[in-house]
C-alpha cells in the first residue's frame, strides 16, 4: 500500500508552510485525502510531484501589493486587520483602497454609513486626486446585507459583475448595525474559503479590538489566511 504523507511532510516536500498547504487544499488547488475520525489531511507523493510540475509550468504563486508599506500577499488572499485605534484603522483602510484604485481595480467598501466620510477624508489625505479617481465608478460603498448568506451572495454577484480584478475592504463594525452574532460573523468568514466564485478578488476585513469581543477576535484570526497587526503581516497560525 502506498504511504501517504502528513501535512508536515507535504509542506517540507513542497518547501512551503503548513498553513499554505492547508490554504491550497481548502481552495481545491492541491489534492488531499481525509483520513480517520479527525479527517486529517494526507498526500500522495505523485500528487505533490504533479503539483510542483504544474506550478513550475505556470510560474510561481502570484503576489499582490496590500498597500500597507511594502507588504505583499498571495493573490486573492483573505486578510484580517486587527486595529488598535481609529487613526490606524483609517490609515490602513485608505492605503489598501488606494492600492486597488491605482492598480485599476474596482474597490468595494463595506462600512457603517457614518464611516464613509472619515474613509473618504483619509483617502484625500493620501491622494488629493481621489475624487477624480472615484468618479470613474471604480469605488463603491455599501453598508452590507442583513445575513451571512445574503452577504455572501452579494459578494459573489459583485465578482460576477466586475471585469478584471477587484478588492473588498470591510470595516466589520457594519455587522453591529445588522445585529449579527459572533456565529453569524464566523459563518460569513468561513464561507470565504470557497473561492470558485470570487477568485478574482482580494479581501481585507478590519476588526477594531475595542469593538469586538475576544471570541470574535479569535474567530477573525482563525478564519483568515493572514492577519495584519501593528503594521506586521503574519500567516494564520491556526489554519
Amino acid at each position: 500500500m502506498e504511504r501517504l504523507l502528513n501535512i508536515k511532510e507535504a509542506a517540507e516536500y513542497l518547501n512551503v508552510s503548513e498553513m499554505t498547504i492547508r490554504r491550497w487544499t481548502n481552495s481545491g488547488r492541491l489534492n488531499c485525502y481525509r483520513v480517520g475520525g479527525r479527517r486529517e489531511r494526507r498526500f500522495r507523493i505523485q500528487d505533490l510531484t504533479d503539483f510542483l510540475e504544474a506550478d513550475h509550468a505556470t510560474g510561481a504563486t502570484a503576489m499582490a501589493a496590500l498597500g500597507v508599506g511594502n507588504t505583499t500577499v498571495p493573490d486573492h488572499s483573505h486578510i484580517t486587520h486587527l486595529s488598535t485605534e481609529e487613526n490606524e484603522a483609517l490609515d490602513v483602510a485608505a492605503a489598501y483602497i488606494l492600492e486597488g484604485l491605482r492598480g485599476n481595480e474596482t474597490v468595494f467598501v463595506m462600512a457603517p454609513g457614518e464611516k464613509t466620510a472619515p474613509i473618504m477624508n483619509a483617502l484625500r489625505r493620501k491622494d488629493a486626486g481621489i475624487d477624480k479617481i472615484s468618479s470613474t465608478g471604480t469605488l463603491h460603498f455599501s453598508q452590507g446585507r442583513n445575513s451571512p448568506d445574503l452577504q455572501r451572495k452579494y459578494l459573489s454577484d459583485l465578482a460576477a459583475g466586475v471585469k478584471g480584478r477587484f478588492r473588498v475592504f470591510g470595516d466589520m463594525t457594519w455587522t453591529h448595525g445588522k445585529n449579527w452574532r459572533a456565529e453569524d460573523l464566523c459563518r460569513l468568514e468561513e464561507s470565504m474559503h470557497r473561492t470558485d466564485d470570487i477568485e478574482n478578488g482580494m479581501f481585507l476585513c478590519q476588526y477594531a479590538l475595542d469593538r469586538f469581543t475576544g471570541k470574535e477576535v479569535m474567530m477573525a484570526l482563525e478564519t483568515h489566511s493572514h492577519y495584519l497587526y501593528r503594521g506586521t503581516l503574519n500567516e494564520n497560525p491556526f489554519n
Side-chain angles (χ1 to χ4, degrees), residues 158-177:
L158 289 180
V162 170
K163 293 182 179 179
R165 293 177 47 79
F166 71 95
R167 64 176 59 195
V168 174
F169 169 77
D171 176 334
M172 300 308 290
T173 56
W174 70 261
T175 62
H176 292 169

Side-chain angles (χ1 to χ4, degrees), residues 22-73:
R22 290 188 175 94
R23 186 173 68 246
W24 285 345
T25 57
N26 287 343
S27 68
R29 183 180 174 191
L30 176 62
N31 186 49
C32 75
Y33 299 86
R34 297 285 188 165
V35 301
R38 297 179 63 183
R39 305 282 294 162
E40 294 180 347
R41 295 170 175 86
R42 293 293 184 269
F43 303 85
R44 294 176 62 241
I45 291 178
Q46 187 59 54
D47 288 338
L48 299 178
T49 301
D50 292 344
F51 179 86
L52 277 176
E53 291 176 352
D55 200 48
H56 289 157
T58 58
T61 300
M63 301 296 287
L66 188 62
V68 181
N70 296 318
T71 303
T72 60
V73 295

Side-chain angles (χ1 to χ4, degrees), residues 163-230:
K163 293 182 179 179
R165 293 177 47 79
F166 71 95
R167 64 176 59 195
V168 174
F169 169 77
D171 176 334
M172 300 308 290
T173 56
W174 70 261
T175 62
H176 292 169
K178 311 295 183 183
N179 297 316
W180 282 29
R181 303 165 300 170
E183 293 77 10
D184 298 319
L185 276 167
C186 185
R187 184 175 173 184
L188 173 66
E189 299 292 20
E190 286 185 338
S191 76
M192 301 305 294
H193 293 301
R194 304 194 309 269
T195 60
D196 54 315
D197 59 341
I198 52 173
E199 60 182 7
N200 56 328
M202 180 188 295
F203 300 83
L204 179 63
C205 304
Q206 190 174 78
Y207 285 82
L209 293 179
D210 62 345
R211 299 291 302 278
F212 289 89
T213 67
K215 178 180 179 180
E216 290 166 335
V217 171
M218 286 303 298
M219 175 280 302
L221 283 171
E222 291 173 351
T223 55
H224 292 78
S225 63
H226 298 75
Y227 70 94
L228 181 66
Y229 178 65
R230 295 188 181 278

